[in-house]
Amino acid sequence: MRTIKFKAKRLDNGEWVKGDLVHSTSYVGISYPSDEFSDVPIVHRVDPSTVCQFTGMTDCEGNEVWEGDIIGNHDFPFEKRTVTWANCLSCFIPTDEDGGQDRHLSFLVLFKKWTVCGNKFDRKEGEK
């Protein structure tokens, strides 16, 4: 069974939190098991616009690849892609800055030349 998990930025401090996605009538949150009571989850309210799903893949350094991550290739240092979900293909794909889509993210990551070098939500204004 594959792992389905999410991450998002907390509303209270802006830090990333990983776990299960929680939808409520009044908020969106991420939950994870408490250290003290494993059957009682801790839930943090998050910014819904920052919710990212885990792709199920890792980069060449073993880092998890998430939707919204910026990936780069050491052989082509100026080639960056943002991992996005493509509804029409029902899969995650890398998208360049102009919105062009590479339809073979798993192919690119499979060859272990791509690494996670950031996330689109952590970029500073004007940064590429």
Side-chain angles (χ1 to χ4, degrees):
M1 187 163 134
R2 77 182 182 106
T3 302
I4 300 174
K5 56 186 175 179
F6 296 86
K7 73 176 184 177
K9 290 194 167 232
R10 292 173 46 172
L11 287 176
D12 60 349
N13 63 12
E15 292 182 7
W16 287 103
V17 62
K18 298 177 184 177
D20 295 322
L21 187 62
V22 176
H23 280 271
S24 167
T25 56
S26 60
Y27 71 92
V28 174
I30 298 286
S31 73
Y32 57 91
S34 164
D35 288 338
E36 292 183 44
F37 307 102
S38 60
D39 59 336
V40 179
I42 295 173
V43 179
H44 292 285
R45 290 179 179 217
V46 297
D47 178 349
S49 70
T50 66
V51 173
C52 304
Q53 185 174 352
F54 177 51
T55 65
M57 295 181 278
T58 57
D59 68 7
C60 69
E61 296 175 356
N63 299 310
E64 294 177 335
V65 178
W66 295 79
E67 176 183 13
D69 278 350
I70 299 167
I71 57 174
N73 185 323
H74 293 298
D75 295 336
F76 305 99
F78 299 106
E79 296 279 334
K80 301 280 193 258
R81 301 287 188 266
T82 301
V83 179
T84 57
W85 176 258
N87 282 332
C88 61
L89 299 171
S90 298
C91 66
F92 291 100
I93 58 172
T95 305
D96 64 25
E97 291 179 7
D98 299 326
Q101 300 176 344
D102 295 325
R103 297 183 178 201
H104 303 292
L105 175 61
S106 58
F107 178 78
L108 296 173
V109 177
L110 177 68
F111 279 4
K112 300 295 183 188
K113 292 189 178 247
W114 291 83
T115 59
V116 174
C117 49
N119 186 286
K120 70 179 185 179
F121 300 109
D122 292 330
R123 279 184 155 171
K124 294 177 179 68
E125 189 69 31
E127 185 180 52
K128 289 189 175 191

